[in-house]
Amino acid sequence: MSCTSHLPSAGNRSTGGYLPGIDGLRAIAVLAVIVFHVEFLGFLAGGFTGVDMFFVISGYVISQSLAERGDRPMREYLLEFYRRRALRILPALLVVLLVSVMLSALLVPPVWLSNQNDETGLAAFLGVSNFTLAWQSDTYFSPRAEFNPYLHTWSLGVEEQFYVIFPVLFFCWLRYHTTHLLARIALPLLTLASLLWCAVQTQAAPLSAFYLLPSRFWELAAGALLFQMLSTTTGARREATRPLVLLGTGLGLLVAGFMWTPARSFPFPWALVTVVGTASAIAGIVLAGGDRSSLLHRILSARPVTYLGRLSYSLYLWHWPVAVFLRWTVGLETVLVQVLYPLVVLGLAAASYHWIEQPIRRGRSVLQRRASLTLGAALLAVGLSAWAAMWTVNNTERLSLSTVADSYTWHAYKHYPREPIEPIEDPALQGRQLFVLGDSHTAAYRTMLNIVSLRLGIEVVEYERGGCAVVSLLAADPPACRAWRDAALADIRARAKPGDVVFLASLRMPELAGRDWQGDEKAVFAQALGEHTAQKAQEARAAADVVLTPLQAAGLTVLIDAPAPVFKAPANRCSDVFNRMNPVCAPGLTVERDRVLQLRAPQMHLLTVLAREYPMLKVWDPLPILCPGATCSVYDTDAQPLFADADHLSGHGNRVLEPSFTQFLIRLYHPL
């Protein structure tokens, strides 16, 4: 008996042929994502669920494509599938990634923690950027994510990982679903398992739930299951359905998802709304076939809508990098930019579709038609592109148009000192250790700490975690950082000797960047001051006691840096001709010293109280050096940056502070 005898008919009205309404759904999906990402009028708070629409559509369309070729031997079937995927996905993706890498090197200097962007970009060439993002600490919705031009490639990674395993599952279903129970139930069981895992991971590990395939498999599989159901549905049952009701219900669910899906409970359960809505809409389109008599079917099949649907892949690829680079340079806030942005994205997408996607997909050369040659060329293209990207990333400082690319001046965490360091010989320093514990401001002292270690001959041991302030003096230390902090303190107590110094370096000022400075400036400062409530002061005091008590009991000297100036705009985003006009830079790069003193007064009061109760606590104050006049500036009198952004020190700022810090340490280590 022929092994093709159990294949469902791919040419029937329910599953086969081109249906313009599905391109209409693609248009809805990509427009929802774009509107969400540019935050247009705060509209479509759940527009990111357009990606979930793409997952379901992809599962359906790929199943249809595989079914049309299901009579081929498995090897030919798989090779042909991956040939088509390579021609469909890679050319436009590689172009967008390479352009993004180059623009990043030219316009976006190596800023604070920008290595996360580089890692995501390089991983995107290999289709695994979703893993890189899942292993980072930032969510898809975090502020820092909006400057990662490769963020959107996570969904492409999920799809391609799905299609590593799905074609074999589908092949088995095509051949054996009428004769073998396992062939029928394998995909439904995996789908159910994925949905249950998604429910668990959404609470237990939100980043993994959002970015990784095990929690997303069910969405793509839903489209495939829909195809299987429709392709095996009898004519009588098809006639009993009401396509318009299915389509209308599906679109209603999609709108509900766009409007009300919260970021916190995602993917589960809210992705169910979009997945069910998309599946229902697809079913309504497929079962209607060529009947477009209803208004909804006519709208989804209209030429402008289906054209956007055909452009949807290129639109998705280009929309996010364009938004990132506009946001970094001129900003997205002005009406002019908001008008130009969709035109630029549409133009790039159309060019990509007509000049890259279509010619390569439709070409008739041996390289494009023979699967082995196509896949070999694809691997070579990916390898060469990844190499070019790595070279660009490693040479960003040479290529950049930004003054901030001078990393020795701007960045405190990157370089070994270039200048000669004259050591200080002092018997009291022999064998001494300096333990440094805190948030990213610990790393922002790294240039100074390197110089101090070389000058004094002491060992510096760092414990740094971004966002994990230790004795912030503002409120309770972050609960999520408690285990890390306690482990670091335990390690310090185990390694330190009496008389060693523990330097607690953290942000101890309310941040000013990101506030609305367009109105009354006094009101904004009053709001910042008002955030320091009596309850937060009590929590800050309790957090300080938890840290200081065991350190003092161990005979260690504790050093805290007094609050330093903070600014209303980040220096690294406002120091070049191509970004100074950005609205984020409008508040300026200076702040009155009196304002700084006012903002830090509650913290200084708490430090005074703590110093009375903990004799081993000492306070080093960098403010007189960083702000000697009536106005604090991110730049010193020689126009060199003291700060890298709105609150982290620059490399130059570290070198300015080092003599003061060194002398302060010598006094601490010197025997009384």
Side-chain angles (χ1 to χ4, degrees):
M1 183 175 66
S2 170
C3 64
T4 63
S5 61
H6 303 303
L7 296 179
S9 173
N12 65 50
R13 188 174 66 91
S14 293
T15 56
Y18 171 70
L19 292 170
I22 290 181
D23 272 335
L25 291 180
R26 286 192 176 110
I28 292 173
V30 76
L31 290 176
V33 173
I34 293 173
V35 169
F36 170 77
H37 276 155
V38 297
E39 300 175 354
F40 180 70
L41 301 178
F43 188 52
L44 296 189
F48 60 90
T49 58
V51 172
D52 303 86
M53 283 187 68
F54 277 127
F55 284 159
V56 181
I57 294 169
S58 178
Y60 181 88
V61 172
I62 291 297
S63 297
Q64 177 181 323
S65 175
L66 288 171
E68 291 170 355
R69 296 161 181 82
D71 57 344
R72 302 183 183 187
M74 178 178 275
R75 181 177 181 277
E76 182 182 343
Y77 161 92
L78 290 176
L79 284 175
E80 176 63 12
F81 171 74
Y82 291 119
R83 179 193 73 82
R84 291 168 61 85
R85 291 300 291 173
L87 293 175
R88 171 77 174 92
I89 298 297
L90 282 179
L93 174 63
L94 293 180
V95 169
V96 171
L97 289 177
L98 288 171
V99 170
S100 298
V101 168
M102 181 54 67
L103 287 178
S104 292
L106 292 174
L107 301 178
V108 185
V111 295
W112 195 255
L113 299 177
S114 63
N115 62 303
Q116 292 186 358
N117 290 5
D118 297 337
E119 291 169 1
T120 308
L122 294 175
F125 284 94
L126 305 177
V128 292
S129 60
N130 57 321
F131 284 95
T132 303
L133 291 163
W135 294 336
Q136 293 175 2
S137 58
D138 292 326
T139 72
Y140 181 78
F141 308 97
S142 70
R144 194 158 53 198
E146 66 185 11
F147 295 111
N148 186 340
Y150 316 103
L151 177 72
H152 63 320
T153 62
W154 74 270
S155 63
L156 304 180
V158 168
E159 280 202 41
E160 296 318 306
Q161 290 150 31
F162 178 80
Y163 291 125
V164 169
I165 57 177
F166 174 71
V168 175
L169 287 172
F170 195 76
F171 183 87
C172 293
W173 177 83
L174 284 173
R175 296 299 175 89
Y176 308 115
H177 71 280
T178 60
T179 58
H180 291 76
L181 176 63
L182 183 60
R184 291 196 299 273
I185 67 173
L187 187 59
L189 287 178
L190 288 173
T191 303
L192 179 60
S194 172
L195 179 60
L196 294 174
W197 183 247
C198 179
V200 172
Q201 289 292 87
T202 298
Q203 301 301 321
L207 283 175
S208 295
F210 192 94
Y211 286 121
L212 298 184
L213 177 62
S215 299
R216 296 290 194 161
F217 180 98
W218 65 277
E219 299 186 43
L220 289 131
L225 289 173
L226 175 65
F227 175 85
Q228 292 180 359
M229 182 183 70
L230 293 178
S231 66
T232 56
T233 300
T234 63
R237 292 175 63 186
R238 285 201 300 268
E239 293 300 326
T241 61
R242 297 190 177 184
L244 181 58
V245 173
L246 288 171
L247 178 58
T249 301
L251 292 177
L253 289 172
L254 292 176
V255 170
F258 294 155
M259 299 298 293
W260 296 303
T261 297
R264 290 187 177 274
S265 299
F266 204 82
F268 188 88
W270 276 90
L272 279 166
V273 175
T274 300
V275 170
V276 173
T278 307
S280 178
I282 293 173
I285 292 168
V286 172
L287 291 171
D291 180 9
R292 299 169 200 164
S293 58
S294 75
L295 178 62
L296 289 179
H297 284 96
R298 288 201 301 273
I299 291 174
L300 288 177
S301 302
R303 279 192 172 185
V305 178
T306 57
Y307 181 67
L308 287 178
R310 291 195 297 277
L311 292 186
S312 60
Y313 178 58
S314 283
L315 283 169
Y316 184 78
L317 287 179
W318 284 107
H319 88 279
W320 182 246
V322 172
V324 167
F325 295 123
L326 286 175
R327 187 179 287 117
W328 181 265
T329 53
V330 298
L332 281 170
E333 294 83 354
T334 65
V335 174
L336 177 61
V337 174
Q338 290 182 358
V339 170
L340 289 177
Y341 167 73
L343 299 178
V344 171
V345 171
L346 182 61
L348 289 170
S352 178
Y353 177 76
H354 292 291
W355 298 340
I356 299 173
E357 282 190 63
Q358 289 299 96
I360 292 178
R361 286 179 68 192
R362 307 301 181 193
R364 306 303 303 175
S365 71
V366 174
L367 192 64
Q368 291 161 291
R369 295 297 103 192
R370 184 171 295 178
S372 57
L373 293 179
T374 301
L375 295 176
L379 290 174
L380 180 62
V382 169
L384 290 175
S385 299
W387 174 84
M390 290 180 66
W391 182 90
T392 304
V393 167
N394 292 332
N395 289 274
T396 295
E397 195 164 339
R398 292 166 52 190
L399 298 170
S400 180
L401 303 176
S402 173
T403 59
V404 184
D406 177 6
S407 59
Y408 194 72
T409 298
W410 281 87
H411 304 309
Y413 59 94
K414 195 166 186 178
H415 293 286
Y416 197 76
R418 293 174 182 172
E419 61 274 4
I421 305 299
E422 184 176 347
I424 295 176
E425 302 293 340
D426 188 335
L429 302 176
Q430 293 292 324
R432 287 301 186 187
Q433 300 175 94
L434 173 64
F435 298 90
V436 190
L437 174 64
D439 58 18
S440 57
H441 290 73
T442 290
Y445 277 125
R446 195 163 291 159
T447 293
M448 182 182 77
L449 296 172
N450 284 340
I451 297 174
V452 166
S453 178
L454 293 171
R455 196 181 300 283
L456 301 184
I458 63 175
E459 181 183 5
V460 176
V461 183
E462 287 186 32
Y463 305 84
E464 178 266 329
R465 178 169 290 186
C468 289
V470 179
V471 188
S472 72
L473 307 175
L474 294 168
D477 293 345
C481 304
R482 189 172 300 145
W484 166 81
R485 180 200 65 190
D486 292 346
L489 289 171
D491 190 61
I492 290 172
R493 292 197 300 273
R495 299 174 62 173
K497 301 183 294 290
D500 282 342
V501 175
V502 179
F503 178 28
L504 304 179
S506 292
L507 177 65
R508 298 190 169 92
M509 289 280 273
E511 294 180 273
L512 299 182
R515 298 178 186 265
D516 184 6
W517 294 101
Q518 295 181 350
D520 184 2
E521 184 174 293
K522 291 182 180 179
V524 179
F525 276 108
Q527 180 189 38
L529 273 172
E531 293 168 0
H532 190 85
T533 63
Q535 180 179 349
K536 287 185 177 180
Q538 291 176 358
E539 294 171 349
R541 168 61 194 270
D545 289 335
V546 168
V547 174
L548 297 177
T549 299
L551 293 177
Q552 179 163 283
L556 303 177
T557 299
V558 179
L559 173 60
I560 288 182
D561 56 336
V566 290
F567 298 91
K568 295 173 281 187
N572 57 5
R573 289 189 60 193
C574 303
S575 297
D576 294 308
V577 294
F578 51 77
N579 59 22
R580 287 175 188 152
M581 75 294 291
N582 193 310
V584 77
C585 304
L589 299 176
T590 61
V591 64
E592 294 177 11
R593 193 174 197 269
D594 287 344
R595 293 291 190 191
V596 174
L597 294 174
Q598 188 180 21
L599 285 174
R600 77 175 199 157
Q603 298 88 279
M604 295 301 293
H605 172 72
L606 180 54
L607 275 178
T608 302
V609 172
L610 292 171
R612 285 199 300 264
E613 298 193 17
Y614 295 94
M616 299 299 286
L617 173 62
K618 308 299 177 184
V619 180
W620 170 65
D621 192 355
L623 179 63
I625 300 171
L626 296 172
C627 184
T631 301
C632 304
S633 173
V634 298
Y635 298 103
D636 63 13
T637 54
D638 296 323
Q640 294 296 303
L642 295 168
F643 290 82
D645 51 28
D647 48 69
H648 292 93
L649 288 166
S650 68
H652 174 70
N654 273 248
R655 286 182 279 275
V656 169
L657 289 177
E658 181 270 326
S660 169
F661 188 79
T662 296
Q663 292 304 314
F664 199 95
L665 270 184
I666 291 173
R667 292 196 296 271
L668 294 182
Y669 285 125
H670 214 278
L672 298 176

